[in-house]
Amino acid sequence: MSEAPVLAPSTSTQPPAAAGQLNLIRPQPYTDWAPQVTAEERAMLRRELEQGAVLYFPNLNFRFQPGEERFLDSRYSDGKSKNINLRADDTAVRGAQGSPQDLAGLYTLIRRYADNSETLVRTLFPEYIPHMMRAGTSLRPSEIAGRPVSWRKDDTRLHVDSFPSNPMLGKRLLRVFHNIDPAAPRVWRVGEPFGDFARKFVPKTHGMWPGQASLMKLLHITKRKRSEYDHRMLQLHDLAKADLDYQANVPQQEFQFPPGSTWIVFSDQLLHAAMRGRAMMEQTIYLAPQAISDHTHSPEAVLSRMLGRPMLVS
Ligand code: SIN
Ligand code: FE
C-alpha cells in the first residue's frame, strides 16, 4: 500500500461533498498500524492534520482476539462512568466491572489499542515523537444517542475539547478513534475551521481575574494552575454548546465512520459532535506545543493573534 496516493478516494458509500461545501474528511489508504509511508506522504498528512482536517482510515481495522467481542456489551461498565478507561501508566482499567478474568481481558484489549494507536502516530508523525506523551485510552461501549446529560456535557453538540479541571497549558489533544462496533456506524458532525469559529466567539470570552488560577488550584477545582489559554478554550467549548442557533446553522458536515474504521484529529481544534454510535475506542496523546509546525491554524496561534499577545506565556 506504500505507493498509494495519500488522498485516495473514499471507499465509503457516502457521496462526495459538492464543490464549495465543507469537506474536512481526508481518506487514507493504509491498512496497517505501522504503515509504510514516504516522506512526501508524511508531510501531507501532517499539514492536513495541523490545518484541522480528519485523517480517515476506512480500512485500518483493530481486530478482536477470540472472546474479546463480549466487551462490546455495556454491562462491563461499572455504571458510574460511561467509559472504561486506562491511564497511560496503569496496569488495570478503571470504570469497569466483572470477574478478575474479565478485568484482565479488558486491560489486554485496551492496552493493545493504546499500543497500536501510538505506533500509528509515531509512524505517521516521527517529528512528534520527542514532544508526545501517551495519555488515556478508553473503550466507550454505550449508545450515544438519547443519553440524558446536561448541555455542557452533551457531546452531540458541536464543540472543541477542553477540560474544566485539567488545564492543558497549551499541550495539544491528538486523538485516535476507532469504531469497534461490528454493525453500527459512528455518526459525527464536524464544523467550520477553528479560525472562523474563534472569530464568532472569542469576543464573548474574558480573561481570568487576578488570583483566580491560584485559587482554583487551591480549592482543587483544577489539578494545576489554569492558563489563560485554557480559560478561553473552556469558554469557547461552552459558548458553542450553549448556542443552538450556531449549532444548527454553522457550516458543517455529517460523516458516518463505518465499523472497523479509524480516524485521527486534533480534538481541541476540530469542531466535532458525536451523534450516534454504539462502541468506540479512543486514544489520547498529548503533544507539546512546539511540535506543531503550522502557526496559522492551531488554537493557540489563532487566540494569540486575536487577543494580540502570546497565549502560552504564564
Ligand atoms: C467527543 O469527543 O466529543 C465524543 C466522540 C465520540 O464519542 O465519538
Ligand atoms: Fe469531544
Side-chain angles (χ1 to χ4, degrees):
M1 295 300 291
S2 61
E3 298 308 312
V6 171
L7 294 177
S10 168
T11 57
S12 86
T13 53
Q14 304 173 70
Q21 269 181 3
L22 188 72
N23 188 8
L24 295 172
I25 313 293
R26 304 284 181 270
Q28 309 299 329
Y30 310 111
T31 55
D32 196 287
W33 292 87
Q36 292 205 339
V37 268
T38 66
E40 291 75 31
E41 287 167 344
R42 285 201 310 265
M44 168 74 107
L45 289 166
R46 186 177 181 195
R47 200 157 49 240
E48 302 267 30
L49 182 71
E50 294 189 5
Q51 285 177 1
V54 180
L55 302 183
Y56 167 50
F57 305 82
N59 303 311
L60 183 51
N61 204 346
F62 176 72
R63 291 181 205 288
F64 284 123
Q65 299 294 316
E68 287 180 338
E69 292 92 336
R70 74 186 191 281
F71 296 128
L72 291 176
D73 193 314
S74 60
R75 78 189 143 103
Y76 292 98
S77 290
D78 69 4
K80 290 193 280 291
S81 49
K82 57 184 196 287
N83 304 337
I84 298 173
N85 296 298
L86 179 64
R87 295 192 186 175
D89 298 320
D90 281 2
T91 50
V93 295
R94 300 172 190 234
Q97 61 182 1
S99 68
Q101 208 183 4
D102 293 333
L103 297 179
L106 276 165
Y107 169 75
T108 303
L109 169 71
I110 298 176
R111 178 66 203 240
R112 194 168 73 249
Y113 184 71
D115 291 344
N116 281 357
S117 300
E118 189 177 321
T119 299
L120 178 66
V121 170
R122 294 172 81 99
T123 308
L124 298 182
F125 310 107
E127 299 89 351
Y128 287 170
I129 294 173
H131 306 290
M132 64 190 254
M133 197 174 98
R134 184 189 292 197
T137 318
S138 62
L139 168 63
R140 308 181 180 194
S142 326
E143 171 61 52
I144 306 166
R147 267 192 206 144
V149 284
S150 69
W151 65 267
R152 205 176 252 121
K153 290 196 171 152
D154 182 359
D155 287 340
T156 69
R157 300 180 187 212
L158 288 161
H159 64 283
V160 290
D161 288 344
S162 177
F163 312 121
S165 63
N166 191 14
M168 286 291 109
L169 310 180
K171 283 201 299 283
R172 303 298 311 280
L173 284 168
L174 183 60
R175 289 189 143 165
V176 183
F177 296 96
H178 182 79
N179 183 0
I180 200 168
D181 191 89
R186 193 129 191 126
V187 183
W188 273 30
R189 289 186 294 147
V190 292
E192 65 181 356
F194 186 87
D196 297 343
F197 162 58
R199 254 189 298 287
K200 291 174 189 136
F201 289 107
V202 167
K204 298 183 181 166
T205 64
H206 36 84
M208 285 183 286
W209 33 268
Q212 183 174 355
S214 305
L215 188 65
M216 285 195 296
K217 175 167 182 276
L218 194 71
L219 297 176
H220 303 291
I221 295 169
T222 54
K223 291 185 196 165
R224 58 194 77 82
K225 274 175 78 172
R226 187 186 279 176
S227 66
E228 182 176 357
Y229 172 74
D230 290 288
H231 194 62
R232 302 261 182 190
M233 289 295 285
L234 199 56
Q235 290 172 80
L236 291 179
H237 168 278
D238 288 358
L239 285 163
K241 281 190 175 173
D243 189 334
L244 293 179
D245 185 56
Y246 180 75
Q247 292 288 326
N249 296 315
V250 64
Q252 59 187 277
Q253 74 183 116
E254 185 184 276
F255 194 80
Q256 307 207 357
F257 296 99
S261 65
T262 303
W263 59 107
I264 304 180
V265 301
F266 276 119
S267 67
D268 52 3
Q269 177 172 354
L270 174 79
L271 270 169
H272 62 281
M275 309 310 291
R276 288 198 314 279
R278 279 201 306 239
M280 190 181 68
M281 300 200 74
E282 167 270 332
Q283 175 65 47
T284 301
I285 289 172
Y286 294 152
L287 206 59
Q290 58 268 34
I292 306 300
S293 69
D294 184 319
H295 297 290
T296 314
H297 298 90
S298 75
E300 176 267 325
V302 169
L303 293 185
S304 297
R305 263 200 317 276
M306 286 190 70
L307 295 164
R309 59 180 181 284
M311 275 296 100
L312 294 180
V313 179
S314 49

